[in-house]
Amino acid sequence: MQTKVFQPDQLAAAAAELAAGELVAFPTETVYGLGADATNEAAVKKVYQAKGRPSDNPLIVHVADVATVKQYVADFPVTAEKLTQAFWPGSLTIILPLKPGAFAKTVTGGLNTAAFRNPRNQVTLDLIKQLGRPIVGPSANTSGKPSPTLAAHVLHDLTGKIAGVVDDGPTGVGLESTVIDLSTPTPTILRPGAVTKEDIEAVIGSIDADHHKVKPDEIPKAPGMKYKHYAPNAQVYVTAAADFKAAASWARAQGEPFGLMATDQVLAKFPVLAADYRFSLGDSIVTASQRLFDGLRHYDQLPEVKFIFAEEFPAVGLGVAYMNRVAKSAGQQYFVQK
């Protein structure tokens, strides 16, 4: 299959591909998603095939407005009204109970709930409106690999497997959306993102954060809860800023090439290290979050690199989401001075 690159002024052609049951990747403010008509079961099955995604990993349904969500759900509680008013369009995904038969099991992973999001990207909102139906949108990458924040990342993983990608440049947030479950008695965050627990509690009051490990026979209610995610080819170690010199010394002792992913302040301590092995995360948790996946993908282009040392940030605010992703990319491996 030839994979086309659509520009934002070519949405009619992209929507026609979706209407024909094909897959088109689309931009959001978080990462690029892999789009299919959410009401077309055959098209949704292609998403799993293209990504190599486990069939019990549910998909997020992207909508152009709140009214669309209300067509499919059994209940739209006051908490959902408040959250959508506060954060939509934006980086918040909301899990709600469905009307019977609202979506095929391929969308929900066999659950009676679905996750909905209204992305903060006008190009994609216009694409959904042109299609006239919601679209599923997991990250547009090979399952388990770092999520795509550029159209080039999508093409690297999925060229020849999908009909096209709408190129709207780099994404702004860089980490996938916060997922909150409103189908349970107490609203619960299942995946942290740019909309923080504190942000949500300021709107609807006290909520929980779910830290349980999904069992092998359990269907996850949200993406990112069960399977390996965000992993490059090299072994990642989450590394405190003060430990980078020790980490570099340890890697040299192993006789293996290594790469750094750190703030400019840390990288300044390694002026003799080749530029390709120093990936800047900028100067803050905001830029680090924007650049994390791009950095992991950068090192996948350097097969000689065996170790990646990625900077640790305090797990507060946006840092909760950043640390969630970087720790998963490392398989929960932290560098400890040897």
Side-chain angles (χ1 to χ4, degrees):
M1 176 184 292
Q2 180 185 1
T3 299
K4 305 169 187 173
V5 178
F6 299 106
Q7 298 305 313
D9 61 355
Q10 297 175 305
L11 294 185
E17 294 284 4
L18 290 170
E22 300 298 340
L23 307 185
V24 175
F26 59 90
T28 76
E29 79 282 16
T30 57
V31 301
Y32 275 75
L34 181 55
D37 179 350
T39 67
N40 182 334
E41 185 174 12
V44 175
K45 285 181 178 179
K46 292 180 182 179
V47 171
Y48 289 91
Q49 294 165 357
K51 283 176 60 68
R53 183 183 179 93
S55 61
D56 66 347
N57 203 3
L59 304 174
I60 292 174
V61 179
H62 290 67
V63 297
D65 49 46
V66 173
T68 301
V69 178
K70 293 180 178 179
Q71 295 175 24
Y72 294 96
V73 299
D75 181 39
F76 196 82
V78 173
T79 49
E81 292 280 8
K82 291 181 177 179
L83 289 175
T84 53
Q85 288 175 14
F87 300 113
W88 278 17
S91 305
L92 182 67
T93 294
I94 300 175
I95 295 176
L96 293 165
L98 290 171
K99 293 175 182 176
F103 291 112
K105 290 182 179 180
T106 47
V107 174
T108 66
L111 300 170
N112 60 1
T113 58
F116 294 91
R117 184 158 106 81
N118 178 221
R120 194 175 69 248
N121 181 286
Q122 193 59 50
V123 169
T124 287
L125 293 177
D126 290 344
L127 177 65
I128 297 170
K129 290 173 184 175
Q130 289 209 26
L131 177 64
R133 293 182 290 279
I135 59 176
V136 297
S139 55
N141 59 305
T142 300
S143 190
K145 285 300 185 180
S147 297
T149 56
L150 296 167
H153 296 162
V154 178
L155 294 170
H156 178 272
D157 284 17
L158 300 178
T159 290
K161 298 180 180 180
I162 66 175
V165 55
V166 179
D167 186 353
D168 193 38
T171 62
V173 175
L175 300 177
E176 301 91 343
S177 61
T178 305
V179 177
I180 186 166
D181 187 0
L182 296 186
S183 70
T184 54
T186 301
T188 304
I189 290 180
L190 302 185
R191 182 179 73 186
V195 178
T196 67
K197 184 172 184 284
E198 293 76 16
D199 292 335
I200 294 171
E201 289 183 329
V203 175
I204 63 170
S206 181
I207 63 173
D208 287 340
D210 187 356
H211 300 294
H212 90 283
K213 188 173 182 180
V214 177
K215 301 179 181 67
D217 60 349
E218 183 180 356
I219 298 175
K221 294 184 79 171
M225 295 182 67
K226 181 176 181 180
Y227 295 99
K228 183 180 179 182
H229 275 71
Y230 321 121
N233 295 326
Q235 174 62 54
V236 177
Y237 289 98
V238 184
T239 306
D243 290 342
F244 268 80
K245 286 208 168 183
S249 296
W250 174 80
R252 289 188 181 103
Q254 313 309 304
E256 299 284 7
F258 63 92
L260 309 180
M261 290 177 55
T263 54
D264 294 334
Q265 183 179 7
V266 170
L267 294 181
K269 300 175 183 178
F270 297 87
V272 299
L273 194 62
D276 276 352
Y277 302 121
R278 298 185 300 145
F279 188 91
S280 171
L281 293 178
D283 59 4
S284 69
I285 185 59
V286 173
T287 56
S289 298
Q290 291 169 341
R291 301 177 187 182
L292 174 63
F293 293 142
D294 193 19
L296 295 174
R297 285 180 169 272
H298 167 79
Y299 285 115
D300 267 355
Q301 307 306 309
L302 302 173
E304 72 276 13
V305 170
K306 303 305 179 188
F307 305 119
I308 301 169
F309 300 104
E311 187 167 348
E312 181 178 11
F313 280 79
V316 295
L318 183 58
V320 174
Y322 171 89
M323 289 304 298
N324 171 272
R325 305 312 195 275
V326 75
K328 286 184 177 180
S329 77
Q332 307 299 324
Q333 296 294 306
Y334 287 72
F335 177 79
V336 178
Q337 291 205 39
K338 310 296 182 182

